[in-house]
Amino acid sequence: MKLKSQIPNAITLLNLFCGCAAIICILDHRFIAAFWFLFAAGWFDFADGLVARLLNVSSEHGKELDSLADMVSFGAVPGMIYYTLLFIGQDAAPASAPDITWSWYAAPGLLVTLFSALRLAKFNLDTRQTENFMGVATPTSTVFATGLMLIYALDPFGWAAWALSPFVLYPAIVAFSYLLISEHPMFSFKIKGMKWEGNETRIIFAVLAIVLLATLQTAAFPFIVGVYLIINLVSPPTASAEA
């Protein structure tokens, strides 16, 4: 087995490590540290495929390993975020959150993890998703959940209570559980060259995302995902990328 062929797999394992570390941080209520581990996991998830293409190495083993890593970083993690936020929301004084134990009130948050597993299993067998996605990709679902976690942890604009509200969390859980396995086409972030034609939707979305980041800063992520979903619902891509 050539060492060169194992470099992308090593990067994939770094993604998996960061996902595991993020779960530990979430359970320990160290949400900022969890964010940075997830940020790193996202970069490693992008880098493994890029490095594989640059080295011209590819294998079914690598693809399966990538899905297993994604199941932790972008499947288990958002479920744990929803579970933890719902659990903390039960406490009368959220600032002094109790240690995490089992709660039926918070358990529905794990639905996102279950539907993420269904999506990843479906994606591995779906030959249609070569250019765009069918349904929401697991990293997109994770960005939304992570955004709620940051809003609670940093309380920008005094919105922390909203991030703990069951009237926000339960609908989000149901919506993303459905969207993860839906057949609705969603555009990917693969840029086709350096021109406007063929990239119109991606460029418009990128501009809107930058505006939201500039104005809302750490509270921007759920709204960015919201804009992404609205654009796809209003004007879905005509053709059907990697999840």
PDB file of all heavy atoms in Angstrom, residues 89-126:
ATOM      1  N   GLY A  89     -32.113  24.333  28.113  1.00  0.00           N
ATOM      2  CA  GLY A  89     -33.321  25.148  28.133  1.00  0.00           C
ATOM      3  C   GLY A  89     -34.320  24.736  29.189  1.00  0.00           C
ATOM      4  O   GLY A  89     -35.213  25.515  29.548  1.00  0.00           O
ATOM      5  N   GLN A  90     -34.226  23.524  29.709  1.00  0.00           N
ATOM      6  CA  GLN A  90     -35.121  23.090  30.792  1.00  0.00           C
ATOM      7  C   GLN A  90     -34.786  23.748  32.124  1.00  0.00           C
ATOM      8  O   GLN A  90     -35.626  23.833  33.007  1.00  0.00           O
ATOM      9  CB  GLN A  90     -35.009  21.565  30.983  1.00  0.00           C
ATOM     10  CG  GLN A  90     -35.461  20.758  29.799  1.00  0.00           C
ATOM     11  CD  GLN A  90     -35.251  19.280  30.066  1.00  0.00           C
ATOM     12  OE1 GLN A  90     -36.106  18.617  30.652  1.00  0.00           O
ATOM     13  NE2 GLN A  90     -34.120  18.764  29.634  1.00  0.00           N
ATOM     14  N   ASP A  91     -33.532  24.200  32.260  1.00  0.00           N
ATOM     15  CA  ASP A  91     -33.081  24.756  33.529  1.00  0.00           C
ATOM     16  C   ASP A  91     -33.631  26.161  33.696  1.00  0.00           C
ATOM     17  O   ASP A  91     -33.702  26.938  32.755  1.00  0.00           O
ATOM     18  CB  ASP A  91     -31.555  24.779  33.564  1.00  0.00           C
ATOM     19  CG  ASP A  91     -31.027  25.102  34.950  1.00  0.00           C
ATOM     20  OD1 ASP A  91     -31.514  24.496  35.923  1.00  0.00           O
ATOM     21  OD2 ASP A  91     -30.148  25.967  35.050  1.00  0.00           O
ATOM     22  N   ALA A  92     -34.002  26.496  34.900  1.00  0.00           N
ATOM     23  CA  ALA A  92     -34.551  27.835  35.162  1.00  0.00           C
ATOM     24  C   ALA A  92     -33.501  28.916  35.015  1.00  0.00           C
ATOM     25  O   ALA A  92     -33.823  30.077  34.783  1.00  0.00           O
ATOM     26  CB  ALA A  92     -35.148  27.891  36.572  1.00  0.00           C
ATOM     27  N   ALA A  93     -32.236  28.565  35.168  1.00  0.00           N
ATOM     28  CA  ALA A  93     -31.150  29.538  35.034  1.00  0.00           C
ATOM     29  C   ALA A  93     -30.134  28.985  34.043  1.00  0.00           C
ATOM     30  O   ALA A  93     -29.169  28.336  34.426  1.00  0.00           O
ATOM     31  CB  ALA A  93     -30.492  29.818  36.386  1.00  0.00           C
ATOM     32  N   PRO A  94     -30.366  29.188  32.711  1.00  0.00           N
ATOM     33  CA  PRO A  94     -29.515  28.577  31.690  1.00  0.00           C
ATOM     34  C   PRO A  94     -28.033  28.893  31.828  1.00  0.00           C
ATOM     35  O   PRO A  94     -27.200  28.126  31.394  1.00  0.00           O
ATOM     36  CB  PRO A  94     -30.069  29.175  30.388  1.00  0.00           C
ATOM     37  CG  PRO A  94     -31.484  29.517  30.710  1.00  0.00           C
ATOM     38  CD  PRO A  94     -31.452  29.944  32.144  1.00  0.00           C
ATOM     39  N   ALA A  95     -27.712  30.027  32.453  1.00  0.00           N
ATOM     40  CA  ALA A  95     -26.306  30.400  32.578  1.00  0.00           C
ATOM     41  C   ALA A  95     -25.542  29.412  33.455  1.00  0.00           C
ATOM     42  O   ALA A  95     -24.328  29.278  33.353  1.00  0.00           O
ATOM     43  CB  ALA A  95     -26.180  31.806  33.151  1.00  0.00           C
ATOM     44  N   SER A  96     -26.263  28.727  34.354  1.00  0.00           N
ATOM     45  CA  SER A  96     -25.618  27.726  35.197  1.00  0.00           C
ATOM     46  C   SER A  96     -26.150  26.350  34.806  1.00  0.00           C
ATOM     47  O   SER A  96     -26.876  25.710  35.549  1.00  0.00           O
ATOM     48  CB  SER A  96     -25.892  27.995  36.682  1.00  0.00           C
ATOM     49  OG  SER A  96     -27.289  28.057  36.925  1.00  0.00           O
ATOM     50  N   ALA A  97     -25.828  25.942  33.586  1.00  0.00           N
ATOM     51  CA  ALA A  97     -26.399  24.722  33.025  1.00  0.00           C
ATOM     52  C   ALA A  97     -25.984  23.491  33.826  1.00  0.00           C
ATOM     53  O   ALA A  97     -24.845  23.385  34.269  1.00  0.00           O
ATOM     54  CB  ALA A  97     -25.954  24.564  31.579  1.00  0.00           C
ATOM     55  N   PRO A  98     -26.911  22.542  34.010  1.00  0.00           N
ATOM     56  CA  PRO A  98     -26.590  21.312  34.746  1.00  0.00           C
ATOM     57  C   PRO A  98     -25.760  20.367  33.887  1.00  0.00           C
ATOM     58  O   PRO A  98     -25.662  20.510  32.679  1.00  0.00           O
ATOM     59  CB  PRO A  98     -27.973  20.723  35.027  1.00  0.00           C
ATOM     60  CG  PRO A  98     -28.806  21.190  33.859  1.00  0.00           C
ATOM     61  CD  PRO A  98     -28.300  22.567  33.540  1.00  0.00           C
ATOM     62  N   ASP A  99     -25.167  19.381  34.531  1.00  0.00           N
ATOM     63  CA  ASP A  99     -24.466  18.349  33.780  1.00  0.00           C
ATOM     64  C   ASP A  99     -25.466  17.590  32.908  1.00  0.00           C
ATOM     65  O   ASP A  99     -26.619  17.379  33.292  1.00  0.00           O
ATOM     66  CB  ASP A  99     -23.779  17.368  34.743  1.00  0.00           C
ATOM     67  CG  ASP A  99     -22.619  18.027  35.483  1.00  0.00           C
ATOM     68  OD1 ASP A  99     -22.061  18.988  34.939  1.00  0.00           O
ATOM     69  OD2 ASP A  99     -22.297  17.556  36.592  1.00  0.00           O
ATOM     70  N   ILE A 100     -25.009  17.162  31.735  1.00  0.00           N
ATOM     71  CA  ILE A 100     -25.878  16.468  30.804  1.00  0.00           C
ATOM     72  C   ILE A 100     -26.190  15.053  31.297  1.00  0.00           C
ATOM     73  O   ILE A 100     -25.294  14.301  31.668  1.00  0.00           O
ATOM     74  CB  ILE A 100     -25.222  16.393  29.416  1.00  0.00           C
ATOM     75  CG1 ILE A 100     -25.054  17.802  28.844  1.00  0.00           C
ATOM     76  CG2 ILE A 100     -26.041  15.525  28.474  1.00  0.00           C
ATOM     77  CD1 ILE A 100     -26.351  18.503  28.537  1.00  0.00           C
ATOM     78  N   THR A 101     -27.480  14.733  31.343  1.00  0.00           N
ATOM     79  CA  THR A 101     -27.937  13.371  31.600  1.00  0.00           C
ATOM     80  C   THR A 101     -29.023  13.070  30.572  1.00  0.00           C
ATOM     81  O   THR A 101     -29.284  13.868  29.686  1.00  0.00           O
ATOM     82  CB  THR A 101     -28.501  13.219  33.022  1.00  0.00           C
ATOM     83  OG1 THR A 101     -29.579  14.166  33.198  1.00  0.00           O
ATOM     84  CG2 THR A 101     -27.428  13.496  34.069  1.00  0.00           C
ATOM     85  N   TRP A 102     -29.675  11.908  30.677  1.00  0.00           N
ATOM     86  CA  TRP A 102     -30.703  11.574  29.704  1.00  0.00           C
ATOM     87  C   TRP A 102     -31.971  12.386  29.959  1.00  0.00           C
ATOM     88  O   TRP A 102     -32.382  12.603  31.081  1.00  0.00           O
ATOM     89  CB  TRP A 102     -31.043  10.083  29.768  1.00  0.00           C
ATOM     90  CG  TRP A 102     -32.134   9.725  28.815  1.00  0.00           C
ATOM     91  CD1 TRP A 102     -33.424   9.422  29.108  1.00  0.00           C
ATOM     92  CD2 TRP A 102     -32.031   9.670  27.392  1.00  0.00           C
ATOM     93  NE1 TRP A 102     -34.139   9.173  27.978  1.00  0.00           N
ATOM     94  CE2 TRP A 102     -33.307   9.318  26.889  1.00  0.00           C
ATOM     95  CE3 TRP A 102     -30.983   9.884  26.490  1.00  0.00           C
ATOM     96  CZ2 TRP A 102     -33.567   9.177  25.539  1.00  0.00           C
ATOM     97  CZ3 TRP A 102     -31.238   9.734  25.132  1.00  0.00           C
ATOM     98  CH2 TRP A 102     -32.514   9.387  24.657  1.00  0.00           C
ATOM     99  N   SER A 103     -32.589  12.855  28.872  1.00  0.00           N
ATOM    100  CA  SER A 103     -33.825  13.628  28.974  1.00  0.00           C
ATOM    101  C   SER A 103     -34.705  13.338  27.771  1.00  0.00           C
ATOM    102  O   SER A 103     -34.277  13.506  26.626  1.00  0.00           O
ATOM    103  CB  SER A 103     -33.515  15.133  29.027  1.00  0.00           C
ATOM    104  OG  SER A 103     -34.688  15.892  28.812  1.00  0.00           O
ATOM    105  N   TRP A 104     -35.955  12.929  28.012  1.00  0.00           N
ATOM    106  CA  TRP A 104     -36.891  12.720  26.910  1.00  0.00           C
ATOM    107  C   TRP A 104     -37.263  14.039  26.256  1.00  0.00           C
ATOM    108  O   TRP A 104     -37.600  14.078  25.076  1.00  0.00           O
ATOM    109  CB  TRP A 104     -38.143  12.005  27.417  1.00  0.00           C
ATOM    110  CG  TRP A 104     -37.886  10.559  27.698  1.00  0.00           C
ATOM    111  CD1 TRP A 104     -37.799   9.969  28.923  1.00  0.00           C
ATOM    112  CD2 TRP A 104     -37.676   9.521  26.742  1.00  0.00           C
ATOM    113  NE1 TRP A 104     -37.531   8.625  28.806  1.00  0.00           N
ATOM    114  CE2 TRP A 104     -37.461   8.325  27.457  1.00  0.00           C
ATOM    115  CE3 TRP A 104     -37.638   9.480  25.351  1.00  0.00           C
ATOM    116  CZ2 TRP A 104     -37.219   7.105  26.837  1.00  0.00           C
ATOM    117  CZ3 TRP A 104     -37.404   8.272  24.728  1.00  0.00           C
ATOM    118  CH2 TRP A 104     -37.196   7.107  25.455  1.00  0.00           C
ATOM    119  N   TYR A 105     -37.212  15.118  27.022  1.00  0.00           N
ATOM    120  CA  TYR A 105     -37.515  16.440  26.481  1.00  0.00           C
ATOM    121  C   TYR A 105     -36.511  16.828  25.399  1.00  0.00           C
ATOM    122  O   TYR A 105     -36.867  17.441  24.385  1.00  0.00           O
ATOM    123  CB  TYR A 105     -37.482  17.453  27.629  1.00  0.00           C
ATOM    124  CG  TYR A 105     -37.776  18.872  27.251  1.00  0.00           C
ATOM    125  CD1 TYR A 105     -39.082  19.352  27.197  1.00  0.00           C
ATOM    126  CD2 TYR A 105     -36.735  19.769  26.960  1.00  0.00           C
ATOM    127  CE1 TYR A 105     -39.353  20.667  26.871  1.00  0.00           C
ATOM    128  CE2 TYR A 105     -36.996  21.083  26.629  1.00  0.00           C
ATOM    129  CZ  TYR A 105     -38.311  21.525  26.581  1.00  0.00           C
ATOM    130  OH  TYR A 105     -38.574  22.835  26.249  1.00  0.00           O
ATOM    131  N   ALA A 106     -35.254  16.448  25.618  1.00  0.00           N
ATOM    132  CA  ALA A 106     -34.192  16.819  24.689  1.00  0.00           C
ATOM    133  C   ALA A 106     -33.919  15.763  23.631  1.00  0.00           C
ATOM    134  O   ALA A 106     -33.292  16.047  22.609  1.00  0.00           O
ATOM    135  CB  ALA A 106     -32.905  17.102  25.468  1.00  0.00           C
ATOM    136  N   ALA A 107     -34.399  14.538  23.854  1.00  0.00           N
ATOM    137  CA  ALA A 107     -34.091  13.423  22.957  1.00  0.00           C
ATOM    138  C   ALA A 107     -34.453  13.660  21.495  1.00  0.00           C
ATOM    139  O   ALA A 107     -33.751  13.166  20.601  1.00  0.00           O
ATOM    140  CB  ALA A 107     -34.759  12.150  23.462  1.00  0.00           C
ATOM    141  N   PRO A 108     -35.541  14.397  21.171  1.00  0.00           N
ATOM    142  CA  PRO A 108     -35.846  14.630  19.753  1.00  0.00           C
ATOM    143  C   PRO A 108     -34.710  15.285  18.976  1.00  0.00           C
ATOM    144  O   PRO A 108     -34.658  15.159  17.751  1.00  0.00           O
ATOM    145  CB  PRO A 108     -37.074  15.549  19.809  1.00  0.00           C
ATOM    146  CG  PRO A 108     -37.751  15.179  21.081  1.00  0.00           C
ATOM    147  CD  PRO A 108     -36.625  14.919  22.045  1.00  0.00           C
ATOM    148  N   GLY A 109     -33.796  15.951  19.667  1.00  0.00           N
ATOM    149  CA  GLY A 109     -32.653  16.541  18.987  1.00  0.00           C
ATOM    150  C   GLY A 109     -31.817  15.516  18.250  1.00  0.00           C
ATOM    151  O   GLY A 109     -31.176  15.826  17.227  1.00  0.00           O
ATOM    152  N   LEU A 110     -31.841  14.279  18.729  1.00  0.00           N
ATOM    153  CA  LEU A 110     -31.045  13.226  18.105  1.00  0.00           C
ATOM    154  C   LEU A 110     -31.638  12.729  16.794  1.00  0.00           C
ATOM    155  O   LEU A 110     -30.993  11.966  16.068  1.00  0.00           O
ATOM    156  CB  LEU A 110     -30.889  12.061  19.085  1.00  0.00           C
ATOM    157  CG  LEU A 110     -30.197  12.405  20.411  1.00  0.00           C
ATOM    158  CD1 LEU A 110     -30.146  11.183  21.313  1.00  0.00           C
ATOM    159  CD2 LEU A 110     -28.802  12.951  20.176  1.00  0.00           C
ATOM    160  N   LEU A 111     -32.855  13.168  16.463  1.00  0.00           N
ATOM    161  CA  LEU A 111     -33.438  12.806  15.176  1.00  0.00           C
ATOM    162  C   LEU A 111     -32.566  13.270  14.017  1.00  0.00           C
ATOM    163  O   LEU A 111     -32.466  12.584  12.997  1.00  0.00           O
ATOM    164  CB  LEU A 111     -34.839  13.424  15.044  1.00  0.00           C
ATOM    165  CG  LEU A 111     -35.976  12.735  15.798  1.00  0.00           C
ATOM    166  CD1 LEU A 111     -37.246  13.562  15.687  1.00  0.00           C
ATOM    167  CD2 LEU A 111     -36.198  11.328  15.260  1.00  0.00           C
ATOM    168  N   VAL A 112     -31.944  14.425  14.177  1.00  0.00           N
ATOM    169  CA  VAL A 112     -31.079  14.934  13.116  1.00  0.00           C
ATOM    170  C   VAL A 112     -29.917  13.980  12.862  1.00  0.00           C
ATOM    171  O   VAL A 112     -29.501  13.778  11.717  1.00  0.00           O
ATOM    172  CB  VAL A 112     -30.564  16.347  13.468  1.00  0.00           C
ATOM    173  CG1 VAL A 112     -29.499  16.815  12.473  1.00  0.00           C
ATOM    174  CG2 VAL A 112     -31.717  17.339  13.480  1.00  0.00           C
ATOM    175  N   THR A 113     -29.409  13.368  13.927  1.00  0.00           N
ATOM    176  CA  THR A 113     -28.342  12.377  13.764  1.00  0.00           C
ATOM    177  C   THR A 113     -28.841  11.162  12.987  1.00  0.00           C
ATOM    178  O   THR A 113     -28.153  10.663  12.086  1.00  0.00           O
ATOM    179  CB  THR A 113     -27.812  11.944  15.141  1.00  0.00           C
ATOM    180  OG1 THR A 113     -27.199  13.070  15.784  1.00  0.00           O
ATOM    181  CG2 THR A 113     -26.793  10.825  14.995  1.00  0.00           C
ATOM    182  N   LEU A 114     -30.026  10.693  13.305  1.00  0.00           N
ATOM    183  CA  LEU A 114     -30.575   9.528  12.617  1.00  0.00           C
ATOM    184  C   LEU A 114     -30.800   9.813  11.138  1.00  0.00           C
ATOM    185  O   LEU A 114     -30.459   8.993  10.273  1.00  0.00           O
ATOM    186  CB  LEU A 114     -31.899   9.111  13.274  1.00  0.00           C
ATOM    187  CG  LEU A 114     -31.852   8.805  14.781  1.00  0.00           C
ATOM    188  CD1 LEU A 114     -33.208   8.316  15.260  1.00  0.00           C
ATOM    189  CD2 LEU A 114     -30.777   7.772  15.089  1.00  0.00           C
ATOM    190  N   PHE A 115     -31.357  10.980  10.833  1.00  0.00           N
ATOM    191  CA  PHE A 115     -31.618  11.312   9.436  1.00  0.00           C
ATOM    192  C   PHE A 115     -30.338  11.661   8.686  1.00  0.00           C
ATOM    193  O   PHE A 115     -30.288  11.498   7.461  1.00  0.00           O
ATOM    194  CB  PHE A 115     -32.647  12.438   9.350  1.00  0.00           C
ATOM    195  CG  PHE A 115     -34.062  11.950   9.539  1.00  0.00           C
ATOM    196  CD1 PHE A 115     -34.635  11.894  10.794  1.00  0.00           C
ATOM    197  CD2 PHE A 115     -34.809  11.534   8.449  1.00  0.00           C
ATOM    198  CE1 PHE A 115     -35.922  11.429  10.973  1.00  0.00           C
ATOM    199  CE2 PHE A 115     -36.103  11.066   8.605  1.00  0.00           C
ATOM    200  CZ  PHE A 115     -36.668  11.011   9.870  1.00  0.00           C
ATOM    201  N   SER A 116     -29.318  12.111   9.402  1.00  0.00           N
ATOM    202  CA  SER A 116     -28.010  12.305   8.766  1.00  0.00           C
ATOM    203  C   SER A 116     -27.436  10.973   8.320  1.00  0.00           C
ATOM    204  O   SER A 116     -26.839  10.864   7.243  1.00  0.00           O
ATOM    205  CB  SER A 116     -27.045  12.995   9.739  1.00  0.00           C
ATOM    206  OG  SER A 116     -27.463  14.306  10.038  1.00  0.00           O
ATOM    207  N   ALA A 117     -27.621   9.936   9.146  1.00  0.00           N
ATOM    208  CA  ALA A 117     -27.155   8.598   8.769  1.00  0.00           C
ATOM    209  C   ALA A 117     -27.890   8.111   7.531  1.00  0.00           C
ATOM    210  O   ALA A 117     -27.289   7.556   6.603  1.00  0.00           O
ATOM    211  CB  ALA A 117     -27.355   7.628   9.928  1.00  0.00           C
ATOM    212  N   LEU A 118     -29.201   8.335   7.483  1.00  0.00           N
ATOM    213  CA  LEU A 118     -29.973   7.949   6.311  1.00  0.00           C
ATOM    214  C   LEU A 118     -29.498   8.681   5.070  1.00  0.00           C
ATOM    215  O   LEU A 118     -29.378   8.094   3.985  1.00  0.00           O
ATOM    216  CB  LEU A 118     -31.464   8.228   6.547  1.00  0.00           C
ATOM    217  CG  LEU A 118     -32.189   7.320   7.543  1.00  0.00           C
ATOM    218  CD1 LEU A 118     -33.590   7.831   7.785  1.00  0.00           C
ATOM    219  CD2 LEU A 118     -32.213   5.882   7.029  1.00  0.00           C
ATOM    220  N   ARG A 119     -29.202   9.963   5.222  1.00  0.00           N
ATOM    221  CA  ARG A 119     -28.745  10.742   4.073  1.00  0.00           C
ATOM    222  C   ARG A 119     -27.402  10.235   3.552  1.00  0.00           C
ATOM    223  O   ARG A 119     -27.218  10.065   2.353  1.00  0.00           O
ATOM    224  CB  ARG A 119     -28.617  12.222   4.424  1.00  0.00           C
ATOM    225  CG  ARG A 119     -27.967  12.968   3.263  1.00  0.00           C
ATOM    226  CD  ARG A 119     -27.780  14.433   3.407  1.00  0.00           C
ATOM    227  NE  ARG A 119     -27.031  14.899   2.248  1.00  0.00           N
ATOM    228  CZ  ARG A 119     -27.553  15.055   1.032  1.00  0.00           C
ATOM    229  NH1 ARG A 119     -28.823  14.748   0.819  1.00  0.00           N
ATOM    230  NH2 ARG A 119     -26.807  15.470   0.024  1.00  0.00           N
ATOM    231  N   LEU A 120     -26.465  10.011   4.449  1.00  0.00           N
ATOM    232  CA  LEU A 120     -25.135   9.582   4.028  1.00  0.00           C
ATOM    233  C   LEU A 120     -25.181   8.200   3.374  1.00  0.00           C
ATOM    234  O   LEU A 120     -24.480   7.940   2.391  1.00  0.00           O
ATOM    235  CB  LEU A 120     -24.176   9.590   5.212  1.00  0.00           C
ATOM    236  CG  LEU A 120     -23.788  10.993   5.698  1.00  0.00           C
ATOM    237  CD1 LEU A 120     -23.099  10.923   7.050  1.00  0.00           C
ATOM    238  CD2 LEU A 120     -22.896  11.688   4.674  1.00  0.00           C
ATOM    239  N   ALA A 121     -26.015   7.308   3.903  1.00  0.00           N
ATOM    240  CA  ALA A 121     -26.164   5.997   3.284  1.00  0.00           C
ATOM    241  C   ALA A 121     -26.779   6.128   1.896  1.00  0.00           C
ATOM    242  O   ALA A 121     -26.353   5.473   0.939  1.00  0.00           O
ATOM    243  CB  ALA A 121     -27.021   5.097   4.162  1.00  0.00           C
ATOM    244  N   LYS A 122     -27.773   7.001   1.769  1.00  0.00           N
ATOM    245  CA  LYS A 122     -28.414   7.244   0.479  1.00  0.00           C
ATOM    246  C   LYS A 122     -27.437   7.881  -0.501  1.00  0.00           C
ATOM    247  O   LYS A 122     -27.386   7.499  -1.672  1.00  0.00           O
ATOM    248  CB  LYS A 122     -29.626   8.153   0.689  1.00  0.00           C
ATOM    249  CG  LYS A 122     -30.326   8.596  -0.585  1.00  0.00           C
ATOM    250  CD  LYS A 122     -31.448   9.568  -0.256  1.00  0.00           C
ATOM    251  CE  LYS A 122     -32.093  10.109  -1.514  1.00  0.00           C
ATOM    252  NZ  LYS A 122     -33.144  11.112  -1.201  1.00  0.00           N
ATOM    253  N   PHE A 123     -26.658   8.838  -0.034  1.00  0.00           N
ATOM    254  CA  PHE A 123     -25.732   9.547  -0.908  1.00  0.00           C
ATOM    255  C   PHE A 123     -24.683   8.610  -1.497  1.00  0.00           C
ATOM    256  O   PHE A 123     -24.297   8.746  -2.658  1.00  0.00           O
ATOM    257  CB  PHE A 123     -25.050  10.678  -0.138  1.00  0.00           C
ATOM    258  CG  PHE A 123     -24.082  11.464  -0.972  1.00  0.00           C
ATOM    259  CD1 PHE A 123     -24.523  12.495  -1.778  1.00  0.00           C
ATOM    260  CD2 PHE A 123     -22.729  11.162  -0.966  1.00  0.00           C
ATOM    261  CE1 PHE A 123     -23.637  13.209  -2.560  1.00  0.00           C
ATOM    262  CE2 PHE A 123     -21.832  11.864  -1.742  1.00  0.00           C
ATOM    263  CZ  PHE A 123     -22.292  12.898  -2.544  1.00  0.00           C
ATOM    264  N   ASN A 124     -24.226   7.671  -0.703  1.00  0.00           N
ATOM    265  CA  ASN A 124     -23.194   6.746  -1.178  1.00  0.00           C
ATOM    266  C   ASN A 124     -23.659   5.923  -2.377  1.00  0.00           C
ATOM    267  O   ASN A 124     -22.832   5.446  -3.162  1.00  0.00           O
ATOM    268  CB  ASN A 124     -22.773   5.805  -0.046  1.00  0.00           C
ATOM    269  CG  ASN A 124     -21.893   6.501   0.972  1.00  0.00           C
ATOM    270  OD1 ASN A 124     -21.416   7.594   0.743  1.00  0.00           O
ATOM    271  ND2 ASN A 124     -21.704   5.853   2.112  1.00  0.00           N
ATOM    272  N   LEU A 125     -24.978   5.754  -2.508  1.00  0.00           N
ATOM    273  CA  LEU A 125     -25.523   4.936  -3.598  1.00  0.00           C
ATOM    274  C   LEU A 125     -26.190   5.761  -4.692  1.00  0.00           C
ATOM    275  O   LEU A 125     -26.617   5.206  -5.704  1.00  0.00           O
ATOM    276  CB  LEU A 125     -26.546   3.938  -3.031  1.00  0.00           C
ATOM    277  CG  LEU A 125     -26.034   2.988  -1.936  1.00  0.00           C
ATOM    278  CD1 LEU A 125     -27.189   2.170  -1.371  1.00  0.00           C
ATOM    279  CD2 LEU A 125     -24.941   2.081  -2.500  1.00  0.00           C
ATOM    280  N   ASP A 126     -26.295   7.070  -4.485  1.00  0.00           N
ATOM    281  CA  ASP A 126     -27.028   7.946  -5.403  1.00  0.00           C
ATOM    282  C   ASP A 126     -26.095   8.493  -6.476  1.00  0.00           C
ATOM    283  O   ASP A 126     -25.221   9.310  -6.199  1.00  0.00           O
ATOM    284  CB  ASP A 126     -27.662   9.099  -4.615  1.00  0.00           C
ATOM    285  CG  ASP A 126     -28.711   9.841  -5.431  1.00  0.00           C
ATOM    286  OD1 ASP A 126     -28.691   9.727  -6.675  1.00  0.00           O
ATOM    287  OD2 ASP A 126     -29.541  10.531  -4.822  1.00  0.00           O
TER     288      ASP A 126
END
